Amino acid sequence: MKELEERIRKEGTVKQGNVLKVDAFLNHQCDVALYDAMGAAWAEHFQGKTITKILTIEASGIGMACVAARHFGNVPVVFAKKAQSINLDGDQYVTTVYSFTKQREFPVIVSRKYLGPDDHVLLIDDFLANGKALHGLIDICKHAGATVEGIGIAVEKGFQGGGDKLREEGYDLDSLAIVESMDPETGDIEFRG
Amino acid sequence: MKELEERIRKEGTVKQGNVLKVDAFLNHQCDVALYDAMGAAWAEHFQGKTITKILTIEASGIGMACVAARHFGNVPVVFAKKAQSINLDGDQYVTTVYSFTKQREFPVIVSRKYLGPDDHVLLIDDFLANGKALHGLIDICKHAGATVEGIGIAVEKGFQGGGDKLREEGYDLDSLAIVESMDPETGDIEFRG
């Protein structure tokens, strides 16, 4: 997606340790017009598929998933929660995810009430690096007996391999920008052609 | 807002300890069509005000804030983050908030880059009980020198007093449903007339 690549080039910052900061428009300050264009792009890619639910993970995936849902007939968006909360029942799917950003493992939960065997799910998240968060969401869909119809990602860090592994596993993965390499010294970012 | 009150009556659950669960449509599974109607209602209430930015707090406020932003000319949405993250610079506004849901204090941060003295801010959140999270967001706006133009809340628990305190302080607060009382034994929910 040209527009997203241009925004990353213009407003993204490359930091040491494979960190790409896009918090000016994607995951701290949110450009909702860009989110809407991203939703339209995913809808075009996944057209013809029946999507009954969008599943994402807190916090950065929620905004783009909710805006994108409009392009999928306003299907419900469920967001996986990163910790036990007294507002949730015990009747949950649980998995464990390692966060690259937070550098620790944490439990991820989805209420059984909101995901089941009849669901055809589109997974949405802001970043895909090694794929640990996505594998957590896929794990939850497996627990629920739900079908993963596709995966919509804003920014894939292609050089970390998680995306290609998911493609090899047969998932229909649509990453709107795939960073092939980035240099914290020069700030250069190369996208997959 | 009639539609929201009806959903709370129909799908909300009253639990011991002043807990009202609305995770079927508001803050775990998200009804984005309802979010859109909520955004339209807030836009009507705050019409005539200049809003340059929407500020919310992760995680449950993000989805409704991003969907609502469409009704405010697609202004940027900034979400305050609940913990230090290696993806954020040191240049942040910081405050501390006590979470009723998580029953502990946590730091809340917003990058200085995304909020400043020129901003006219609409605060949005899913719940208002004692007002601790909102006071954290107001505190951050004060640090930034930004003007709080108004506060849009989905569900105010009126009997916990946080909303009336904010009204007394002069804030333009639009809660779409105000729960005056609720009974965990019978499940009865009374709304402010």
Side-chain angles (χ1 to χ4, degrees):
Chain A
M1 186 184 171
K2 217 70 211 159
E3 185 185 351
L4 182 60
E5 291 184 2
E6 278 165 16
R7 293 294 290 275
I8 294 168
R9 260 192 233 283
K10 203 175 145 197
E11 297 172 58
T13 318
V14 183
K15 300 268 183 183
Q16 295 292 344
N18 285 336
V19 173
L20 174 61
K21 286 189 56 155
V22 287
D23 57 6
F25 57 98
L26 208 67
N27 51 17
H28 182 25
Q29 180 165 255
C30 310
D31 182 334
V32 294
L34 177 65
Y35 280 8
D36 194 55
M38 287 161 50
W42 285 321
E44 194 184 336
H45 179 91
F46 295 110
Q47 66 180 307
K49 293 203 170 180
T50 302
I51 307 288
T52 65
K53 204 156 275 189
I54 292 174
L55 178 65
T56 185
I57 184 165
E58 68 176 27
S60 308
I62 301 173
M64 61 190 69
C66 285
V67 171
R70 195 159 75 90
H71 296 276
F72 292 88
N74 279 342
V75 293
V77 173
V78 173
F79 62 88
K81 300 194 168 198
K82 278 182 179 167
Q84 197 73 22
S85 153
I86 58 164
N87 263 12
L88 279 167
D89 290 327
D91 201 14
Q92 301 156 341
Y93 307 111
V94 184
T95 191
T96 302
V97 166
Y98 179 83
S99 166
F100 177 76
T101 316
K102 298 189 193 275
Q103 297 192 307
R104 62 177 175 84
E105 280 206 330
F106 51 84
V108 169
I109 56 179
V110 169
S111 169
R112 286 175 188 268
K113 281 182 281 189
Y114 309 129
L115 200 64
D118 294 337
D119 278 317
H120 294 254
V121 180
L122 174 64
L123 306 177
I124 283 185
D125 207 2
D126 59 336
F127 264 96
L128 167 54
N130 50 36
K132 294 215 191 287
L134 269 181
H135 275 285
L137 294 181
I138 290 169
D139 193 39
I140 280 172
C141 287
K142 281 180 184 162
H143 287 319
T147 307
V148 177
E149 291 288 348
I151 304 170
I153 294 292
V155 186
E156 178 183 336
K157 293 196 278 186
F159 57 90
Q160 288 188 261
D164 290 332
K165 191 156 164 282
L166 285 162
R167 288 182 189 95
E168 282 162 25
E169 289 168 13
Y171 289 101
D172 183 359
L173 167 61
D174 186 33
S175 298
L176 300 179
I178 303 180
V179 176
E180 209 57 281
S181 68
M182 55 189 207
D183 186 335
E185 304 298 327
T186 62
D188 283 352
I189 300 171
E190 294 297 325
F191 293 99
R192 194 174 287 186
Chain B
M1 186 184 170
K2 217 70 209 159
E3 183 185 354
L4 182 59
E5 291 184 2
E6 278 165 17
R7 293 294 291 275
I8 294 168
R9 259 193 234 281
K10 204 174 143 196
E11 298 173 56
T13 318
V14 184
K15 301 267 185 185
Q16 296 291 345
N18 285 338
V19 173
L20 174 61
K21 286 189 58 158
V22 288
D23 56 7
F25 55 97
L26 208 68
N27 52 16
H28 182 23
Q29 181 165 254
C30 311
D31 182 334
V32 294
L34 178 66
Y35 280 8
D36 194 55
M38 288 161 48
W42 285 321
E44 195 184 334
H45 179 92
F46 295 109
Q47 65 181 310
K49 293 204 168 178
T50 302
I51 308 287
T52 65
K53 205 155 277 190
I54 292 175
L55 178 63
T56 185
I57 184 165
E58 69 174 26
S60 307
I62 300 173
M64 60 190 69
C66 285
V67 172
R70 195 159 75 90
H71 297 276
F72 292 87
N74 279 342
V75 292
V77 173
V78 174
F79 62 89
K81 301 193 170 200
K82 278 182 179 168
Q84 196 74 21
S85 153
I86 60 164
N87 264 11
L88 280 168
D89 290 327
D91 202 14
Q92 301 156 342
Y93 307 113
V94 184
T95 190
T96 302
V97 166
Y98 178 84
S99 165
F100 177 76
T101 315
K102 298 188 194 278
Q103 296 193 306
R104 62 178 175 83
E105 280 207 330
F106 51 85
V108 169
I109 56 179
V110 168
S111 170
R112 286 175 189 268
K113 280 182 282 189
Y114 308 129
L115 200 65
D118 293 338
D119 278 316
H120 294 255
V121 180
L122 173 64
L123 306 179
I124 282 185
D125 207 1
D126 59 337
F127 264 94
L128 167 54
N130 49 38
K132 295 218 190 285
L134 269 180
H135 275 284
L137 294 180
I138 290 168
D139 193 41
I140 281 172
C141 287
K142 281 181 182 160
H143 287 318
T147 307
V148 176
E149 291 289 349
I151 304 170
I153 295 291
V155 186
E156 178 183 335
K157 292 195 278 186
F159 57 91
Q160 288 189 261
D164 290 331
K165 190 157 166 284
L166 284 162
R167 289 183 189 94
E168 281 162 27
E169 289 167 14
Y171 289 101
D172 184 358
L173 168 59
D174 185 33
S175 299
L176 300 179
I178 304 179
V179 177
E180 209 54 282
S181 68
M182 55 189 206
D183 186 335
E185 304 297 328
T186 62
D188 283 352
I189 300 170
E190 294 297 324
F191 294 99
R192 195 173 287 185

